[in-house]
């Protein structure tokens, strides 16, 4: 399994802690979009990772999101939509995740798991990796996804309050469940991890799915699976459809205590892409669309009923990349991305 | 290894979380001094533990500190000093720990580790148990102790502040180090875990040591080892002295985030027994005694230089107990202490 840690100007102590929680046998892939001007934070991350890998004798790749050879290889291999006007990989966690998937494909891994870098507890990082592994062990299909449901997400406000649900998750789960209810005719609350940043996939599933840009990526993964393999719309991929796709939602034992960065405003900005993705799903009917519009007006994220929520940009599935071409262009570079590389 | 969790009216969610962090192969020993009147919290703890053990198929003992047959067996086996005027085991974590050691001796365990029940992160409980095991694996002597040095002990006050040292630990470590410095003639800051509640011992070491009552127990363990095997005073036990006693202080990766119960006042009350224990050690010279007195006056824990800090009460080493007698009297009861016992 490859464990991917997307980083952006995270505190180094947090980053080091998260890295130390990843089991030894996983290939670490760090995709960083930290600043390089003024203070070269990427350099500091690389040094910290190198020191850690040196003493623990383990393997890790670290790559900057604005790495030129990377962008060039992506372009040549036919993945130009990931590149911005400057010819470099676009900023954003979604783009970092897709690149990590491609690197994991090159490294011939079977599984890929994502863990955010802002976690205070190395012990919960270890738990996430073990939960991923537990899900994959339980799976009977090679097309499998594991999503983590946090037991608690404590809020720090004059003491600790052990909150179970974030507001965005709660609303986003509700509409995801409506989508399933209206298509099956049975009401359900089965989806509890619509916005799970902590999740993992078998690469055979990962390479099949299209991914949304920005904050819509996690809910869109579920939507893409429902659309492609749900049996309501025509099946997208017969081999995978025959095996079936398994989704595990597993509750962690540790509370999720992470760096509080998001203002309430940012939180709300996450809700719009999540609900927009559901709105624009081919599985979404008129009732759901209407109630999403009402919700967005209540949340003051759109102004009136005539406004249509923005359709999330969808990147094509990673398996459409010309992998041999990408590999060929990156062959010399891959070693330079090793945490222990001397430059 | 037996893992001991002393409990006293802890929140059930915390207790459950801590229990879930203990590795499956350890024998859990819960010694509870929770209230039984009004609300029977001991009953609730037992139910929670039973449910957990039922689903995870594991072994645990749970015993109330005021259990009558326990007190009777301790008395008959010659350990009357642990009993109060009411004939029952005295209250206090120290007494709970000694009883747990005796139970672990009966269960023929090789190692015993202590973990407090007020920990918010099951993942750090798991780490403590693994750190204990790592220490024992590194040890070359059968007389071994592992003490945990917390990486951080976060304070919650409008955000998280990652504190490294508690005030009591800092002062108590300082005088413990003075004791070593003055006896060896080389200044040192080697002791960093004078007050470590999270610690473990091989039972061969545990049964040799006398234990202090109250908050002096953890620093007194170190003092007892220095006194008995330090080579300055006559050796207490030739077999152990020949093997040598190994003490590991191992830093945890996880921060120690625990229930904040102690007021500043309580914190300071912990300092007096710790410094008193050092004051009354046979290794303590006039200089150390004088500086401890000054410290205690500064901390407003004693009034003037004529006051002598109270000598901690010392219980005799557990190996002095008549174990066959204790075992015989408890033989029928041990099953009733199993978490899965039906009563």
């Amino acid at each position: 399994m490859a464990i991917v840690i997307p980083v952006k100007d995270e505190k180094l102590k947090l980053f080091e802690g998260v890295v130390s929680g990843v089991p030894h046998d996983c290939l670490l892939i760090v995709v960083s979009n930290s600043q390089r001007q003024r203070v070269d934070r990427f350099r500091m991350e690389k040094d910290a990772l190198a020191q850690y890998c040196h003493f623990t004798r383990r393997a890790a790749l670290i790559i900057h999101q604005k790495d030129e050879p990377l962008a060039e290889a992506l372009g040549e291999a036919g993945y130009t939509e990931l590149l911005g006007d400057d010819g470099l990989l676009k900023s954003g966690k979604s783009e970092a995740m897709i690149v990590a998937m491609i690197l994991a494909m090159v490294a011939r891994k079977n599984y890929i798991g994502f863990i955010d870098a802002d976690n205070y507890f190395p012990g919960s990082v270890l738990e996430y990796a073990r939960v991923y592994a537990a899900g994959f062990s339980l799976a009977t299909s090679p097309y499998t996804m594991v999503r983590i449901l946090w037991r608690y997400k404590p809020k720090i406000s004059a003491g600790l309050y052990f909150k179970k649900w974030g507001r965005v998750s709660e609303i986003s789960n509700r509409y995801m469940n409506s989508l399933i209810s209206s298509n099956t005719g049975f009401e359900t609350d089965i989806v509890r991890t619509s916005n799970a940043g902590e999740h993992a996939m078998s690469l055979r599933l990962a390479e099949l799915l299209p991914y949304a840009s920005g904050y819509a990526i996690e809910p869109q993964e579920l939507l893409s699976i429902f659309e492609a393999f749900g049996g309501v719309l025509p099946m997208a991929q017969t081999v995978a459809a025959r095996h079936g796709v398994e989704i595990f939602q597993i509750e962690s034992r540790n509370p999720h205590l992470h760096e509080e960065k998001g203002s309430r405003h940012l939180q709300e900005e996450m809700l719009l892409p999540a609900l927009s993705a559901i709105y624009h799903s081919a599985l979404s009917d008129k009732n759901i669309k209407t109630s999403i519009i009402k919700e967005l007006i209540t949340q003051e994220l759109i102004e009136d009923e005539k406004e249509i929520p923005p359709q999330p940009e969808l990147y094509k599935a990673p398996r459409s990349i010309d992998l041999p071409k990408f590999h060929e262009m990156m062959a010399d570079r891959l070693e330079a991305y090793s945490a222990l590389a001397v430059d």
Side-chain angles (χ1 to χ4, degrees), chain A:
Chain A
M1 174 154 62
I3 293 285
V4 179
I5 306 178
V7 188
K8 188 166 192 296
D9 297 325
E10 234 65 59
K11 290 179 188 159
L12 271 186
K13 288 268 178 192
L14 283 184
F15 173 65
E16 272 186 325
V18 168
V19 163
S20 77
V22 177
H24 194 94
D25 293 327
C26 298
L27 171 67
L28 259 168
I29 302 180
V30 178
V31 185
S32 168
N33 201 16
S34 301
Q35 61 161 306
R36 308 213 57 173
Q37 265 72 50
R38 220 168 47 87
V39 182
D40 189 348
R41 290 200 61 90
F42 176 66
R43 176 84 232 179
M44 290 156 77
E45 288 156 7
K46 199 173 171 182
D47 287 348
L49 189 63
Q51 194 172 36
Y52 178 76
C53 288
H54 175 73
F55 285 110
T56 57
R57 301 184 193 179
R58 58 178 297 167
L61 299 176
I62 179 165
I63 188 166
H64 197 275
Q65 206 153 340
K66 300 299 179 186
D67 185 70
E68 283 177 29
L70 170 72
E72 212 176 305
L74 284 170
E76 288 291 318
Y79 227 141
T80 44
E81 54 189 289
L82 288 180
L83 310 179
D85 296 335
D86 56 1
L88 297 176
L89 183 64
K90 290 186 203 164
S91 294
K93 190 179 150 196
S94 167
E95 291 76 6
M97 285 167 63
I98 296 170
V99 163
M101 288 178 209
I102 297 169
L103 290 174
M105 283 158 71
V106 169
R108 303 178 139 285
K109 292 289 157 187
N110 292 321
Y111 301 101
I112 188 165
F114 301 94
I115 295 180
D116 288 344
D118 63 349
N119 198 310
Y120 280 121
F121 276 79
S124 60
V125 172
L126 175 63
E127 187 187 20
Y128 296 154
R130 291 174 77 164
V131 164
Y132 296 161
F136 294 134
S137 305
L138 287 168
T140 55
S141 162
Y143 301 89
T144 304
M145 174 177 274
V146 183
R147 300 170 81 90
I148 296 211
L149 171 61
W150 295 324
R151 193 172 181 83
Y152 298 107
K153 197 177 162 189
K155 294 280 159 200
I156 297 156
S157 52
L160 276 182
Y161 176 70
F162 285 83
K163 236 177 120 52
K164 179 98 190 164
W165 298 109
R167 225 170 107 267
V168 171
S169 309
E170 197 185 331
I171 299 173
S172 161
N173 286 340
R174 195 192 311 149
Y175 289 96
M176 196 67 87
N177 282 315
S178 297
L179 193 79
I180 299 180
S181 304
S182 78
N183 276 284
T184 60
F186 290 87
E187 272 205 338
T188 182
D189 60 355
I190 196 166
V191 177
R192 314 186 74 178
T193 58
S194 177
N195 281 55
E198 261 72 33
H199 67 289
M201 286 180 268
S202 64
L203 270 167
R204 284 182 70 176
L205 175 61
E207 63 185 27
L208 281 188
L209 300 179
Y211 295 94
S213 64
Y215 290 124
I217 184 165
E218 283 100 0
Q220 180 62 47
E221 286 169 1
L222 286 181
L223 294 169
S224 296
I225 294 173
F226 297 159
E227 290 164 10
F229 309 104
V232 176
L233 307 173
M235 291 292 187
Q237 223 274 352
T238 49
V239 181
R242 203 169 55 240
H243 281 100
V245 174
E246 287 180 79
I247 303 173
F248 293 85
Q249 301 178 104
I250 304 184
E251 191 178 75
S252 65
R253 252 289 169 184
N254 287 296
H256 183 76
L257 190 62
H258 68 141
E259 176 94 330
E260 208 63 71
K261 277 187 303 197
S263 61
R264 192 175 170 84
H265 184 62
L266 179 67
Q267 282 286 305
E268 274 165 8
E269 274 180 0
M270 290 179 69
L271 190 57
L272 181 59
L275 293 192
S276 299
I278 301 173
Y279 180 97
H280 288 286
S281 167
L283 294 169
S284 186
D285 67 13
K286 199 160 168 295
N287 284 339
I288 293 174
K289 284 187 206 275
T290 312
S291 54
I292 287 178
I293 295 291
K294 275 189 192 146
E295 182 74 52
L296 290 173
I297 293 172
T298 313
Q299 303 292 341
E300 296 177 13
L301 292 167
I302 62 172
E303 296 206 342
D304 60 49
E305 291 175 23
K306 274 172 232 109
E307 200 179 327
I308 288 175
Q311 184 149 17
E313 187 181 354
L314 273 192
Y315 297 123
K316 62 188 176 188
R319 71 161 175 164
S320 60
I321 194 174
D322 182 349
L323 200 63
K325 181 81 192 165
F326 180 82
H327 200 166
E328 183 200 317
M329 290 197 62
M330 295 294 274
D332 300 339
R333 290 289 298 172
L334 276 180
E335 213 149 290
Y337 298 144
S338 160
L340 292 171
V342 186
D343 48 17

